[in-house]
Amino acid sequence: MQNDMKSTIQAAVAEAVGKATGRQLELLGRQLELLEKIVQFLGIEPGPTRVASAPKGTPAHAPAPARKGPSSVPVRKWVRPQAAPKPAKAGPAPQKSRGRPRGAGRAATAAATDSSPGPETPVPYAEGQEVRYKQGRGAFTAKVKAVDEKAKTVTLARVSDGRKVVRPFDKVTPA
């Protein structure tokens, strides 16, 4: 009884698989015919056709053999058009993000290390002079304690708490 049931199930499964496979082969056959018509219309030499009944050891993505000669109809290949060079902008780009500009750090260090002798300018600050300086997001009042002309820095003492700070000339303004 079990053997009869087992063989009945096997027969039913085999029949269902055969129907499904037959339907798939029928659909693939129609698509293959359409593709062959397209190939003939375009004048392309057809490569070896892969049939569903091909040997199982053959990979489905095997490369096609090289073409023997030119086809009767030339096939135009699509070429990506070259983009025209963009015109250079006259002015600087508008500031899109907040915060420090991209080249700010490099420009400041390049200006500080510039050793080319320029026109001599008088010392802009004197000891004891009251000035304002910027640091971080704030501005503070301070008195000048020392001036370093070579490094272009000023040593300041903050009026509010007496803290000593060294700032470059461009961050300090007369009060």
Side-chain angles (χ1 to χ4, degrees), residues 113-130:
T113 59
D114 188 17
S115 61
S116 61
E120 292 297 319
T121 57
V123 178
Y125 304 105
E127 291 184 28
Q129 179 182 357
E130 194 166 303

Side-chain angles (χ1 to χ4, degrees), residues 5 20 24 33 43-44 49 51 60 64 88 95 108 134 151 155 166:
M5 193 70 117
Q24 288 176 350
E33 289 173 15
I44 301 172
T49 56
V51 183
Q95 186 77 22
K134 293 180 182 177
T155 304
V166 178

Side-chain angles (χ1 to χ4, degrees), residues 91-161:
Q95 186 77 22
K96 291 183 181 176
S97 62
R98 295 173 52 170
R100 194 161 119 185
R102 287 185 178 180
R106 290 186 296 259
T109 56
T113 59
D114 188 17
S115 61
S116 61
E120 292 297 319
T121 57
V123 178
Y125 304 105
E127 291 184 28
Q129 179 182 357
E130 194 166 303
V131 293
R132 289 192 54 83
Y133 72 94
K134 293 180 182 177
Q135 183 159 358
R137 293 186 180 191
F140 303 94
T141 306
K143 287 196 176 193
V144 176
K145 291 292 180 184
V147 179
D148 187 357
E149 292 180 51
K150 190 174 183 182
K152 297 183 179 182
T153 58
V154 183
T155 304
L156 308 168
R158 206 182 296 170
V159 172
S160 60
D161 58 359

Side-chain angles (χ1 to χ4, degrees), residues 65-79:
R67 293 172 56 173
K68 296 176 184 175
S71 64
S72 59
V73 178
V75 178
R76 184 177 292 182
K77 292 186 178 178
W78 184 78
V79 179

